[in-house]
Amino acid sequence: MQNDALATRDRESGTTSAVGRLLRALTDPEFTDEEGRPDPSQVTDEELGSLFVAAYRVDTSAPLAMRAAAATIRAAARDRRPRYTPAACRRLFELLVEECGEHGWADLTLGLDALRDCTGPVPDVSEPARSLVGMCLVRDVVRQPYALLAVAALAGKETLTTAVERLSRDVGPIVADETAVIAGLPPAEQAVLSEMDREHRFVAPLAHTWHRSADNPAYVAFARRALETAADRTD
């Protein structure tokens, strides 16, 4: 796994690097770093991606040093753009499945971001993607619908069709139309729209999300239909 690769690199170098100290802090409950907290600016974007995956399931029950290391990595990941190896991408999707199974929800945009910034051939994540969609769709309220459609597409046509049917249930024609349009977009465009699903209630989606949507003829046509429908209702 990616943790083993990072540890092996450290052993071969004969030194304890920043990434090595951070990795041990994230995975060894007995670890204490006498040299102080490592600076995440010393790790590469690819190493940061692997460390982010290692930090993902560190929670409040973990030792203080482990929680501190995880917080450091998460903050660095917010400020930078981590890169993910194919193995790290696959592992992150598996962790999202675990998270969703335990807590009923997981941030799907994290997995989509990892695939977007994958350093090698994009791995097959259809199995964990299928599990994620299945767990999300059984809930009364479906969160992150844009991201859910993008993840459903990764799982295959049958799963995507099921997701479209569920998201189109008990909604108005405009929402149903948008859902069908998004389901038909290329994966890259679906991933862009998923950025509107980020879990920040008081932060508007990034401007480039809307700009990229405006570049897509299918989504522009939907927006025009939606405006015309809304205008007809006011007449």
Side-chain angles (χ1 to χ4, degrees):
M1 302 300 289
Q2 71 273 3
N3 289 356
D4 296 331
L6 292 177
T8 299
R9 193 181 311 166
D10 240 31
R11 287 196 300 269
E12 290 176 347
S13 69
T15 62
T16 303
S17 64
V19 66
R21 293 197 302 274
L22 279 165
L23 180 60
R24 293 203 308 278
L26 290 168
T27 57
D28 183 0
E30 304 299 323
F31 176 75
T32 58
D33 192 345
E34 297 178 354
E35 301 177 36
R37 186 179 300 179
D39 182 359
S41 67
Q42 299 176 27
V43 305
T44 67
D45 291 342
E46 183 177 318
E47 290 169 340
L48 180 60
S50 293
L51 288 168
F52 179 81
V53 174
Y56 182 75
R57 293 305 305 274
V58 175
D59 58 23
T60 55
S61 66
L64 178 60
M66 189 177 291
R67 298 199 310 271
T72 297
I73 291 301
R74 290 166 185 154
R78 286 193 297 269
D79 294 337
R80 293 165 54 182
R81 185 165 176 170
R83 304 291 303 281
Y84 299 85
T85 65
C89 291
R90 171 77 187 188
R91 181 56 182 154
L92 182 54
F93 266 84
E94 292 170 348
L95 292 173
L96 290 171
V97 171
E98 293 178 12
E99 179 85 358
C100 195
E102 291 180 16
H103 302 291
W105 181 80
D107 188 351
L108 303 180
T109 65
L110 296 177
L112 295 172
D113 285 349
L115 294 180
R116 178 197 63 198
D117 296 323
C118 186
T119 60
V122 175
D124 179 6
V125 294
S126 58
E127 183 178 348
R130 192 174 301 112
S131 297
L132 280 169
V133 173
M135 287 186 284
C136 290
L137 292 183
V138 297
R139 302 189 65 80
D140 293 334
V141 177
V142 179
R143 298 169 65 175
Q144 296 185 314
Y146 296 99
L148 182 64
L149 287 170
V151 172
L154 296 171
K157 184 176 180 179
E158 182 177 348
T159 301
L160 179 59
T161 299
T162 300
V164 170
E165 292 174 351
R166 171 65 177 83
L167 293 174
S168 301
R169 187 189 309 162
D170 301 324
V171 298
I174 292 178
V175 174
D177 187 12
E178 182 184 30
T179 299
V181 168
I182 294 173
L185 293 177
E189 296 301 323
Q190 292 175 336
V192 168
L193 285 172
S194 75
E195 295 186 13
M196 289 190 279
D197 277 334
R198 299 194 184 284
E199 293 296 304
H200 301 294
R201 292 177 56 196
F202 304 109
V203 177
L206 299 175
H208 77 267
T209 301
W210 298 111
H211 294 163
R212 288 282 299 275
S213 300
D215 291 336
N216 187 285
Y219 201 82
V220 169
F222 152 72
R224 185 175 294 111
R225 291 193 301 272
L227 290 172
E228 291 171 350
T229 299
D232 290 342
R233 290 177 179 175
T234 61
D235 291 342

